[in-house]
Amino acid sequence: GEDVEQSLFLSVREGDSSVINCTYTDSSSTYLYWYKQEPGAGLQLLTYIFSNMDMKQDQRLTVLLNKKDKHLSLRIADTQTGDSAIYFCACSNDYKLSFGAGTTVTVRA
Amino acid sequence: DARVTQTPRHKVTEMGQEVTMRCQPILGHNTVFWYRQTMMQGLELLAYFRNRAPLDDSGMPKDRFSAEMPDATLATLKIQPSEPRDSAVYFCASGRSGSTDTQYFGPGTRLTVL
């Protein structure tokens, strides 16, 4: 199946930018997603990008897609304490989503 | 604000007991997914329904797990008999086929089997 890799931890100072990286193996993925999971909650869709795009911006979030390198990143500008959570990268293949293991982002004051 | 709902939110049971988890997908969505999340395995897809028909349950242990959609507003996941290794958070997600493949997740059922 699809392999999706993410680094496990990221620590960032409040007000700085966070960059979470993801690599995947299936080049036929049509859509790629970022989900956020806060403690005790389900996965919340943050944003997604169509595979023929290379960038998408949505307020403080910027998604970059390098299809050649199969690399996806999520940049969070002006990171706040409320951004502390686990962030999952996911790729679609037909109806299935393949998820990475999640990156735990800790925002320190 | 349309959301996927799941009940119960928490369940503690003893080994050997039957467990039933329920999910109400977002109105108008025709795909339903069941996932299990554990620290060791991460998110695992257990079952997938489209238009109430089960299309993929290859991720589900067949001997004890069963998933059904009695109608378009209800999906169930049943474990009988439950075992301690089934302890996990079970998520339901729904979506609309033919669009962006986006799945919207419920809050999950945290299951503890003693």
Side-chain angles (χ1 to χ4, degrees):
Chain A
E2 171 74 53
D3 282 332
V4 181
E5 302 276 343
Q6 299 177 241
S7 53
L8 292 183
F9 301 100
L10 175 68
S11 178
V12 62
R13 196 190 311 269
E14 188 176 10
D16 287 352
S17 292
S18 311
V19 179
I20 308 167
N21 294 300
C22 171
T23 58
Y24 58 98
T25 56
D26 188 352
S27 57
S28 65
S29 293
T30 309
Y31 294 95
L32 299 105
Y33 309 82
W34 284 103
Y35 283 85
K36 175 184 180 183
Q37 186 178 32
E38 297 183 51
L43 277 70
Q44 172 197 352
L45 176 69
L46 283 180
T47 187
Y48 65 89
I49 188 168
F50 189 46
S51 57
N52 70 352
M53 298 169 64
D54 51 22
M55 188 180 94
K56 181 178 180 181
Q57 188 149 5
D58 184 1
Q59 298 182 332
R60 291 192 298 122
L61 305 178
T62 303
V63 179
L64 296 178
L65 174 60
N66 183 327
K67 205 172 175 184
K68 173 176 163 291
D69 293 340
K70 297 178 194 161
H71 182 266
L72 182 73
S73 68
L74 175 69
R75 178 177 178 269
I76 305 173
D78 186 25
T79 310
Q80 304 297 307
T81 55
D83 296 324
S84 292
I86 304 175
Y87 291 80
F88 290 91
C89 164
C91 307
S92 68
N93 187 338
D94 193 8
Y95 58 85
K96 285 187 179 180
L97 292 189
S98 297
F99 289 88
T103 300
T104 299
V105 173
T106 303
V107 181
R108 59 187 193 277
Chain B
D1 185 22
R3 295 182 186 214
V4 176
T5 58
Q6 291 186 245
T7 56
R9 292 293 315 276
H10 303 272
K11 176 72 177 178
V12 180
T13 191
E14 292 189 343
M15 184 173 65
Q17 295 300 304
E18 177 178 300
V19 174
T20 299
M21 291 169 271
R22 293 177 174 80
C23 166
Q24 182 171 12
I26 292 172
L27 190 65
H29 283 186
N30 66 333
T31 60
V32 171
F33 303 80
W34 283 103
Y35 290 89
R36 175 169 62 184
Q37 186 180 39
T38 61
M39 289 290 290
M40 296 300 296
Q41 300 295 328
L43 273 162
E44 302 173 274
L45 178 66
L46 298 176
Y48 162 61
F49 290 78
R50 186 192 297 166
N51 298 325
R52 296 176 55 202
L55 293 191
D56 185 351
D57 60 2
S58 57
M60 206 161 65
K62 299 292 189 300
D63 54 339
R64 299 181 300 106
F65 283 60
S66 62
E68 295 179 346
M69 277 201 77
D71 61 60
T73 63
L74 177 64
T76 61
L77 179 67
K78 191 175 294 186
I79 308 174
Q80 166 64 15
S82 58
E83 298 180 3
R85 60 182 166 143
D86 301 329
S87 296
V89 182
Y90 291 81
F91 288 107
C92 174
S94 73
R96 197 176 286 131
S97 63
S99 64
T100 61
D101 294 335
T102 302
Q103 297 178 21
Y104 297 88
F105 282 73
T109 294
R110 181 174 294 276
L111 174 65
T112 303
V113 183
L114 303 174

